[in-house]
Each structure stands twice: as structure tokens, then as C-alpha cells.
Amino acid sequence: MNIPESSLPRIVIIGAGFAGIALAKKLRNKCAQVVLIDKHNYHNFQPLMYQVATGGLEAGSIAYPVRKIIHDYKDYYFRLARVSNIDTKSKTVSADIGELTYDYLVIATGSKTNFFGNTEIARNSMQMKTISQSLNIRSLILENFEQAVLTKDTQERNFLMNFSLVGGGPTGVELAGALAEMKKAILQKDYPDLDISQMQINLIQSGDRILNTMSEKSSVNAEKFLQQLGVNILKNVRVTGYDGRTITTNSTLCIESATVIWTAGVMGALPDGFEEHAIDVRSKRLRVNEFGQVNGHTHVFAMGDIAQMESAEYPSGHPQMAQPAIQMGNHLAENLERLMAGTQMKPFGYFDKGSMATIGRNKAVVDLPKLHFHGFFAWFVWMFVHLFSLIGFRNKIMVFLNWMYNYIWFDREGRLIVRPFKKKVFVSFTSDEV
Amino acid sequence: MNIPESSLPRIVIIGAGFAGIALAKKLRNKCAQVVLIDKHNYHNFQPLMYQVATGGLEAGSIAYPVRKIIHDYKDYYFRLARVSNIDTKSKTVSADIGELTYDYLVIATGSKTNFFGNTEIARNSMQMKTISQSLNIRSLILENFEQAVLTKDTQERNFLMNFSLVGGGPTGVELAGALAEMKKAILQKDYPDLDISQMQINLIQSGDRILNTMSEKSSVNAEKFLQQLGVNILKNVRVTGYDGRTITTNSTLCIESATVIWTAGVMGALPDGFEEHAIDVRSKRLRVNEFGQVNGHTHVFAMGDIAQMESAEYPSGHPQMAQPAIQMGNHLAENLERLMAGTQMKPFGYFDKGSMATIGRNKAVVDLPKLHFHGFFAWFVWMFVHLFSLIGFRNKIMVFLNWMYNYIWFDREGRLIVRPFKKKVFVSFTSDEV
């Protein structure tokens, strides 16, 4: 990888997500050479990806060049690479661009969509874990409408105008809300030759409530908001198959849907090379101790979505969200310093600041540790927190102005099919980059 | 194409570029059914495309949804389609989505890159006529630098950091200037492990001056500006080949260059079906009379880049730029009205407002009919005119703010490899959409 030798110990961080960037920033000037590896040359702000998918924001507004973050840090290197294997014996990382040895290794590779082994669903449905995938969803929504205007066959039209979101977590809920607003504000105007009232948005949840990691009050309010927007909420329904045309479920219910977006689960994006005892089989996450060290290793750490730090309060690890990742990144910087200095590391403690989800214009739900609220104020808080959390002054301004514009004009001008999805779907099976 | 029958005559416009949109807007409420066809669902502002290619602007800021322009016009239809053939006998347009008959047909398909039959150059070099192609250039520039940091071989590094622009017209000049500014402001900071002074930007022009459609004074000044920015200007050099590694020329000069962007010529993007006498063989443009009617046809028109309206002043047709296209679109709306009303059409007269090119920060050249000027004021005028010409309030704001940001901070945050180009170069040979 052409990294110069250094007299300082080398810390290799794999992944420039919330955890990786938090750690990299804190390690600045800390008597170590740092190599940050990611398969993209940008950090992206996952919580707003659904707005890229629905044309409300441009991709560039929620992504930030990694090199810009670290360019004036001393003895820091970024490498654009896909890591394939870790050899903890020889302390070597293998990637598509070569190999690299480390003194300390931090795995922050995040999570990817979990189809629970159902290859048919994986092949036919959309996911939204990368910017490319978000842009694919955007293209597909619009391509379906462009196709719907071409046919007189009502059944075919309804099929093309049927959108199904599998999974009632924040991503599914936020996408459903955004699609419902797109229906009213954009699609109705843009496609006067279609009967847009026939557009159906289904939110399919296997459990008995949506947003089941939030308070019951928030679940109820989110559901109410979605119903106001005309979203069909199907609870206690488990999707068992999707052949590109028909969704089958564990009940007699079948849905003809041209677009299925799968947000029903994630699993660790695990590089090869770890022993069985280090991995949680079900979640594909790396089991780490309270210091973040991967089971059985002293110089290998994991943090963020990929790390499963089991505790009394979080028996199956922390929630796979931005907050635990950022806090782990910050904490690990201090622990690495302690480890390099030969002093005792400190256990990680997660401070739960709460969680929130937005459903649409003036509609959000917020759970603070001791307070749950919803509606306009919650929506305002949601916007403020997300704007504040974005990296970069330009991105903040761009997102803020787009939101203002979209709010005032009921519009989303990002409805551009820059890279058609349907035409080259054949490539998408071989690469998540298309 | 599922267009309803109408009692009004049907005008089919192929192409939503400057000419097509100008015409479509003017035809509003003019006793005709209008069908606008384009292979993209957006109009794009070609003059700023080089800023998308060099990371200064996001693609969404220079593109505008076609449906939004026409959505409240009565009896107007948009179809996303690639037209393959025109049958003027049966008055039928054939496209990938089906056929459509017309009463009046307007060809406004614009132009595409002309490699003058050199397939080797066509295969190995980049072009910049669509947003996808601009984004490919952006990715390739950055991918080359990411690759350059991986090698210790100086020759290989220099090869990867060598950028050659073939063609000294406005596109080549503006790209050269933008690349030179990227070198200084971005690449030098982002790649501290590279010796960026080794990055070479070559502007190769077959004639003896760049910007040869502008005044001699402007050519000289543009050349001076480019030299200040460190661009190598090679005049009287004709590129004869490029195998992906080495550029060969009509002299002994050879250049090892990883990136060749071809802006040395365009030709009409001509649909099949026209007789020989209607086509100019060399330029692949449709020969039209002073009313815009294609040679030998009364109900078929052409305008913009694809139209060659020969006159004493413009013996080989108007320059292929935005201004003639917009003026032809506006003029043809009136002529179509006259034709439908059975009155005499009026000949088109082009009012040359002048031309301009920007080279970089505070550096531009402007030719007005009676005045040529350059420098800061010219640059200011260039910005004002381009901002003013963009369609859409949001786009104007976004471009303005990005320019402000880039100017103040010497930055271009669009340096994101969202769709890697090198990895899937194999697809790009089969589609211009990749």
C-alpha cells in the first residue's frame, strides 16, 4: 500500500463511518502513524440517505471527502481500498490494493443489509446502505412512473405504482413518509396522465409495532402520522419471498409490487480471517470486551455497527446507530493512548442521548431518556440535530437551503434519473457500486 | 407511446436541450398537442458541465426536471425515450418505447462527440457531452490520484498525473483552467505524499490558436491566463492516436497520459431515416432552410446543434452553442403558429450576443459584438450571465452558493468517487449512460 515506515506505532483503521472518523480525529497528534482505509473516498451521513433516495437532497450534500478531514494531520494516510482479509498472526491487512502490517488494528467496517439467506429477495429488492444504492432507489422510483405512463393496462400501472418497504425501523418509516410526500407534492403534478391516487405505499413489519426500538408512545404516534399520509401499515406480516413481481408473506396476503426496499435487518460487514470465537454467528458482529478489544486479541479492536459489546444493559450489544459508533470512536482513542503508554484502559460506557425519527413535514417522534414528544417541535428538533451533526460547513448550508426550499415550495428537485437503474440491473448483481 | 388522441395537431419535439425547451415553453397554449421526447428526464446546462467534471458543482445543480417545466401546460406530454428512426412518409417516430405519429416534427437532438472515425481514441479517451460523462471524468481524475499514491515508480506516477485535453475550444480551455485550479487548491493538500508539481495539464490544439471562434485578443489573453496557471499549451499539434497509455501526434511528440479528454469536435446526433440530400455528410447535421424546415420537408423542422442553416454570414451553419439554439427555439414557435394558421413563415435571423470563456478565478475573456475584454470584470460578467441563464430558482441559489464557497475557501467539495469509473470501464463501451 506504499505507506512509509515510521518510528511510531502504526494504527490501521478500517472504515471511515461515524466510528472511524471519530477515532481518526481524536488520534491526531497522538504519537502514532494512522492509516485510514475505506472503500469510498468519502464519509457519508447515513441518517439522511433516505432523502437522497427520494430526491430531496443531492448525494454530495451528505457526503464529505475523507482526505479533506485528515489532510493536515501529521503522519496520516488514507487509502481507497476494499479489505478482504485480516491475518492477526502476522498482523497483516489484505486488500485489493495490497497488504499492510499494523501494530494496532481497528475494525470499523459497519454493517450491511441482511436478507437472512433469502437469495431471491436479495436479487429482486433494493437496499439502502450506500449512496449508490440510494441513487438506484431514486432512479427506480422515477423509472417506474415513466414506465407506468406508457401502458393502458390498469393492473400493470398499479403494479408499477406499488412501493413496498419491508421493515418498520427508522429507515422504513422515514422512507415511507418521504415517498408519501413525494406522491402528493411531486408525482401528482409531474404525471397528470396517471391516477396517482392508485399509488400504494406499504410498510410491512413482522412485529406488532413499528419503530420497536423506540417508546410505545412514539410507535403509536409514528403510525398515526403515516396513516395521515396514506401509508398502508401491515403489522405482524413476515415477507417470505419476492420474485420481482409478487411479494409472498407468511399469511395469505400477496402484493404485486414493482419496488421492494428491504430495510428489515443488518449484519456486520465482516472481513475474513477472524476465528469463530470472535464472531457472533447470528449478527456477524465481532465480539469485543468492555475496552473494545476483539475476543482473544489485545491489539485488534472493533467499534460501531460491527462491534458487539455485550453487557447487562445491552445483552446483544449496542444499537447499530450513529451515537454508539461516535462514542466508541472517541473512547477508543483514549484507550489506544493508554495502551501505547502502558497504562490501564477504561471500560466503555454508552450514554444514550435518545433516538428520533421523522415521518414528514412537521411530523417526527423524539424519545429523550426521560421525555417522549412528537409533532412540529419534534420535527424541528430532528432537523436541528441532523443539521448540526453533518460534517462540513458547505454541507450544512446546502442541506439547510434545500430543506427550506422543499418546505416552502413542496418540492424535491433531485428527481433526476442520472444513472438509470433498470437498464443496467444486470451489473448490479456483481457489484454494490453500480 | 400511449399519447391520447387530440383534436389539435400534434407537434413532436425530440430533445429537451436549449432549443427544445425554448420551443416547448413558447408553444404553451398554442392550439397544439405537444409531445416532448428526451433520453433523459432532465434538461441540463451544458456550459457548466466542466464544473461538475472537476468537482466544483453537483450534477443536480445544473440539471432540471423536464416534467417540472411542462407539468401545468395543457395537452403536453413528456416521454423518456431514445428515438431511433424517423419515417417521414408515414410521419412516424420510432423509439425504444414504441412509435408515435406526428403532424409536425421538430428535431432538436443536439450534437455528440466527433472522434472523426478514430475508434482507438474513441475507446480510450473521455468525452463530456452528458452529465454521466462529466461524472465519469470526475471519478477518473480522483481514481488516478488514488492509484498514484500506491506506486513508488516515478514514471508511473507521472503517467497517472498527466492530463491531456484535446481541442482548444471553450470546453478544453475551461477544463484546463479548472484542472489547474484543482491542482493548486485541492490535490496539493489532499495528496501530501505526492509531488503534485509533477502533475501536468496539456491543452492540445491542432490550429495555431486556442478559442479560435473568438477574437484574436481573447485567444491571446486566454493563453496568457492558462500559462499563469501552469497549463502546457501545445499548438499546431494534431493527435493521431491514443492507446490508453501514449498519445501519438502528427509530429514526433508523444505524451504518456492516463487521462485524455476529447473536446476536439462534435457532430449532429442524427436519428436514422433522413434522405441523403437532407444531411450534411461532414457535420452529420440536418440541412434546413431559413424557416428551419429540413431540406425537402414542410412538416419536419430542425433546430439547435443538429440544424445546419446555411447563409451568407454562416456558410456552414450557426455555431453549435446555446444562443443560436435558444433563438431558433423561440423563432420556430412563431413559425409553427404561422404554418398552422396558414400564413407566411418568417426567416430566422441570428442575433450574435457575443461569446465568453472562463479560465479560472478572476480570469475570463468576453467578446461582445463591438467590445472585447478580459480579467476580473469579464469573469464577473461570465458568472452573472451563467447564473442568470440557469433554469430554476433552486439551481441558481445552489450554484451561486457553491461558487461563493469555492471562491472564499479555494475548495471544491464535490471530489467524491460515487461511481467509480475505472472498475466498470467495460460497461462504458456499450452505453453512454454508465
Side-chain angles (χ1 to χ4, degrees):
Chain A
M1 293 195 191
N2 199 22
I3 306 288
E5 292 300 319
S6 168
S7 55
L8 301 171
R10 178 183 290 160
I11 302 175
V12 175
I13 307 169
I14 309 175
F18 286 113
I21 292 292
L23 174 64
K25 280 181 166 175
K26 286 268 173 182
L27 283 179
R28 181 183 188 176
N29 303 329
K30 289 291 192 249
C31 292
Q33 182 187 63
V34 176
V35 181
L36 181 57
I37 301 176
D38 198 281
K39 59 182 174 173
H40 297 124
N41 77 335
Y42 50 85
H43 165 79
N44 68 58
F45 193 71
Q46 180 93 30
L48 290 179
M49 227 171 234
Y50 79 97
Q51 298 206 3
V52 172
T54 49
L57 291 176
E58 295 178 35
S61 303
I62 66 159
Y64 197 85
V66 174
R67 286 190 178 274
K68 180 160 175 178
I69 299 170
I70 62 162
H71 69 60
D72 56 355
Y73 297 5
K74 244 187 79 183
D75 216 358
Y76 259 68
Y77 298 88
F78 172 72
R79 287 295 179 266
L80 181 68
R82 283 174 183 271
V83 170
S84 48
N85 192 279
I86 312 290
D87 183 343
T88 51
K89 291 217 172 59
S90 65
K91 292 192 168 184
T92 307
V93 173
S94 300
D96 53 353
I97 58 166
E99 298 193 334
L100 185 68
T101 56
Y102 60 82
D103 296 301
Y104 303 92
L105 176 65
V106 183
I107 316 278
T109 46
S111 57
K112 57 183 183 180
T113 307
N114 191 350
F115 292 99
F116 304 103
N118 192 320
T119 52
E120 189 205 46
I121 294 176
R123 199 167 49 239
N124 295 309
S125 67
M126 311 295 287
Q127 39 179 319
M128 202 190 65
K129 287 293 284 181
T130 68
I131 285 191
S132 307
Q133 290 165 352
S134 309
L135 292 172
N136 286 343
I137 291 175
R138 182 199 282 194
S139 290
L140 182 62
I141 295 169
L142 298 165
E143 286 176 289
N144 281 338
F145 276 88
E146 293 297 338
Q147 210 176 325
V149 297
L150 300 179
T151 176
K152 284 194 177 74
D153 180 336
T154 318
Q155 199 187 344
E156 186 67 15
R157 278 195 170 185
N158 291 348
F159 160 71
L160 289 163
M161 292 197 288
N162 192 303
F163 295 82
S164 298
L165 309 160
V166 187
T171 308
V173 166
E174 296 187 322
L175 264 174
L179 269 171
E181 296 211 319
M182 223 180 151
K183 171 179 174 179
K184 223 167 42 179
I186 309 294
L187 300 167
Q188 193 147 279
K189 286 187 202 155
D190 271 6
Y191 297 90
D193 23 351
L194 291 177
D195 175 9
I196 296 291
S197 70
Q198 295 302 312
M199 173 179 175
Q200 299 294 326
I201 303 156
N202 310 308
L203 182 64
I204 308 173
Q205 164 72 322
S206 57
D208 60 358
R209 66 178 177 111
I210 59 170
L211 297 181
N212 61 16
T213 55
M214 292 186 71
S215 66
E216 289 223 25
K217 192 183 157 200
S218 289
S219 295
V220 170
N221 285 315
E223 201 167 313
K224 212 171 63 193
F225 285 145
L226 284 172
Q227 273 156 353
Q228 283 168 12
L229 287 169
V231 172
N232 312 317
I233 302 175
L234 308 167
K235 289 185 290 191
N236 297 308
V237 174
R238 187 178 294 278
V239 170
T240 53
Y242 176 56
D243 61 4
R245 175 120 209 146
T246 309
I247 301 170
T248 52
T249 67
N250 60 345
S251 73
T252 53
L253 180 76
C254 287
I255 304 168
E256 298 247 303
S257 190
T259 309
V260 172
I261 307 174
W262 184 266
T263 67
V266 295
M267 59 182 180
L270 190 66
D272 290 341
F274 284 99
E275 315 85 350
E276 248 174 59
H277 65 81
I279 302 168
D280 181 83
V281 181
R282 202 188 51 79
S283 68
K284 292 274 184 298
R285 291 165 93 182
L286 286 167
R287 306 179 70 160
V288 300
N289 64 12
E290 69 271 35
F291 308 117
Q293 286 162 313
V294 173
N295 249 9
H297 298 273
T298 49
H299 285 53
V300 182
F301 296 78
M303 56 184 193
D305 281 8
I306 186 75
Q308 183 153 315
M309 190 186 288
E310 293 161 17
S311 61
E313 203 179 346
Y314 299 99
S316 55
H318 297 91
Q320 285 160 298
M321 305 191 307
Q323 268 307 315
I326 294 168
Q327 293 181 27
M328 282 183 190
N330 288 334
H331 184 82
L332 186 53
E334 291 168 23
N335 267 349
L336 278 170
E337 256 195 289
R338 291 187 189 104
L339 185 62
M340 290 188 288
T343 57
Q344 181 61 37
M345 294 192 290
K346 287 191 179 162
F348 173 74
Y350 173 50
F351 173 59
D352 184 359
K353 293 183 182 170
S355 56
M356 50 181 83
T358 186
I359 292 93
R361 168 181 291 262
N362 308 340
K363 293 182 177 71
V365 290
V366 174
D367 283 355
L368 297 185
K370 287 179 181 167
L371 182 69
H372 310 150
F373 56 102
H374 66 279
F376 180 78
F377 182 64
W379 176 75
F380 196 82
V381 168
W382 180 93
M383 285 209 299
F384 182 80
V385 167
H386 282 77
L387 210 51
F388 189 78
S389 313
L390 269 170
I391 295 186
F393 175 67
R394 193 196 67 104
N395 282 3
K396 284 188 175 68
I397 297 288
M398 290 297 137
V399 169
F400 176 68
L401 286 173
N402 269 295
W403 283 352
M404 289 256 291
Y405 181 88
N406 298 349
Y407 188 78
I408 295 169
W409 300 102
F410 289 82
D411 206 348
R412 287 158 187 266
E413 285 193 0
R415 49 187 190 277
L416 315 169
I417 310 176
V418 170
R419 16 182 261 165
F421 174 72
K422 284 196 167 183
K423 281 195 189 150
K424 41 178 210 284
V425 75
F426 69 97
V427 196
S428 72
F429 302 146
T430 57
S431 160
D432 65 359
E433 288 299 340
V434 172
Chain B
M1 292 193 193
N2 199 23
I3 306 288
E5 291 301 319
S6 169
S7 55
L8 301 171
R10 179 183 289 160
I11 302 175
V12 175
I13 307 169
I14 310 175
F18 286 112
I21 292 292
L23 174 63
K25 279 181 166 177
K26 287 268 173 180
L27 283 179
R28 182 183 188 178
N29 303 331
K30 288 289 192 252
C31 292
Q33 183 186 61
V34 176
V35 181
L36 182 56
I37 301 176
D38 198 281
K39 60 181 175 174
H40 297 124
N41 76 335
Y42 51 85
H43 165 79
N44 69 58
F45 193 73
Q46 180 93 30
L48 290 179
M49 226 171 234
Y50 78 96
Q51 298 207 2
V52 172
T54 49
L57 292 176
E58 295 177 34
S61 304
I62 66 159
Y64 196 85
V66 175
R67 287 190 177 275
K68 179 161 176 180
I69 299 170
I70 62 162
H71 68 60
D72 56 356
Y73 296 4
K74 245 187 78 183
D75 215 0
Y76 259 66
Y77 298 88
F78 172 72
R79 287 297 178 267
L80 182 67
R82 283 174 184 271
V83 170
S84 48
N85 192 279
I86 312 290
D87 183 342
T88 51
K89 290 214 175 59
S90 63
K91 292 192 168 184
T92 307
V93 173
S94 299
D96 52 354
I97 58 166
E99 299 193 335
L100 185 68
T101 56
Y102 61 83
D103 297 301
Y104 302 93
L105 176 66
V106 183
I107 316 279
T109 45
S111 56
K112 55 182 185 180
T113 307
N114 191 350
F115 292 100
F116 305 102
N118 192 320
T119 51
E120 189 204 46
I121 294 176
R123 198 167 50 239
N124 294 309
S125 67
M126 311 295 287
Q127 39 180 321
M128 201 190 67
K129 287 293 286 180
T130 69
I131 284 192
S132 307
Q133 290 165 351
S134 309
L135 292 172
N136 285 344
I137 291 175
R138 183 198 282 191
S139 290
L140 181 62
I141 295 169
L142 298 166
E143 286 177 287
N144 281 339
F145 277 88
E146 292 298 337
Q147 209 177 325
V149 297
L150 299 179
T151 176
K152 284 194 178 72
D153 180 335
T154 317
Q155 199 187 343
E156 186 67 15
R157 278 195 171 186
N158 291 350
F159 160 70
L160 288 164
M161 292 198 286
N162 192 303
F163 295 81
S164 297
L165 309 160
V166 187
T171 309
V173 166
E174 296 187 323
L175 264 174
L179 269 171
E181 296 210 320
M182 223 180 152
K183 170 180 175 179
K184 222 167 45 178
I186 309 293
L187 300 167
Q188 193 147 279
K189 286 187 201 152
D190 271 7
Y191 298 91
D193 23 352
L194 291 177
D195 176 9
I196 295 291
S197 70
Q198 294 303 310
M199 173 181 176
Q200 299 294 325
I201 302 156
N202 310 307
L203 181 64
I204 308 174
Q205 164 71 323
S206 57
D208 60 359
R209 65 178 177 110
I210 60 169
L211 297 180
N212 59 17
T213 56
M214 292 186 71
S215 66
E216 289 223 23
K217 192 182 156 198
S218 290
S219 295
V220 171
N221 284 316
E223 200 168 311
K224 212 171 62 190
F225 284 146
L226 284 172
Q227 273 157 352
Q228 283 170 11
L229 287 168
V231 173
N232 312 317
I233 302 174
L234 308 167
K235 288 183 291 191
N236 297 309
V237 174
R238 186 178 296 277
V239 170
T240 53
Y242 177 57
D243 60 4
R245 175 122 209 145
T246 310
I247 301 170
T248 52
T249 66
N250 60 345
S251 74
T252 52
L253 180 75
C254 287
I255 303 168
E256 299 247 302
S257 190
T259 309
V260 172
I261 306 174
W262 185 266
T263 68
V266 294
M267 59 182 179
L270 189 65
D272 290 340
F274 284 98
E275 314 85 349
E276 248 174 59
H277 64 81
I279 302 167
D280 180 83
V281 180
R282 202 188 51 77
S283 68
K284 293 272 186 296
R285 291 164 94 181
L286 287 166
R287 305 178 71 161
V288 300
N289 64 13
E290 68 271 35
F291 309 117
Q293 287 163 313
V294 174
N295 250 8
H297 299 274
T298 50
H299 285 53
V300 182
F301 296 78
M303 56 182 194
D305 281 8
I306 187 76
Q308 183 153 314
M309 190 185 290
E310 292 162 17
S311 61
E313 204 180 344
Y314 298 99
S316 54
H318 297 92
Q320 286 160 297
M321 305 192 307
Q323 268 307 313
I326 294 167
Q327 293 181 27
M328 281 183 190
N330 289 332
H331 184 83
L332 186 53
E334 291 168 22
N335 267 349
L336 278 170
E337 256 195 291
R338 292 189 189 102
L339 185 63
M340 291 188 290
T343 59
Q344 182 60 38
M345 294 191 291
K346 288 192 178 163
F348 173 73
Y350 173 50
F351 173 59
D352 184 0
K353 293 184 183 169
S355 56
M356 49 181 84
T358 186
I359 292 92
R361 167 181 292 263
N362 307 340
K363 293 182 178 72
V365 290
V366 173
D367 283 356
L368 297 185
K370 287 178 182 171
L371 182 68
H372 310 148
F373 57 101
H374 66 279
F376 179 78
F377 183 64
W379 176 76
F380 197 80
V381 167
W382 180 93
M383 285 208 302
F384 182 80
V385 166
H386 282 77
L387 211 51
F388 188 78
S389 313
L390 269 170
I391 296 187
F393 175 68
R394 193 196 67 105
N395 283 4
K396 284 187 175 70
I397 297 288
M398 289 298 138
V399 169
F400 177 69
L401 286 173
N402 269 295
W403 282 351
M404 289 255 291
Y405 181 88
N406 298 350
Y407 188 79
I408 295 169
W409 300 102
F410 289 82
D411 206 348
R412 287 158 187 266
E413 284 192 2
R415 48 187 191 275
L416 315 168
I417 309 175
V418 171
R419 16 182 262 164
F421 174 73
K422 284 197 167 183
K423 279 192 190 155
K424 44 178 207 282
V425 75
F426 69 96
V427 196
S428 71
F429 302 145
T430 57
S431 158
D432 65 1
E433 289 300 340
V434 171

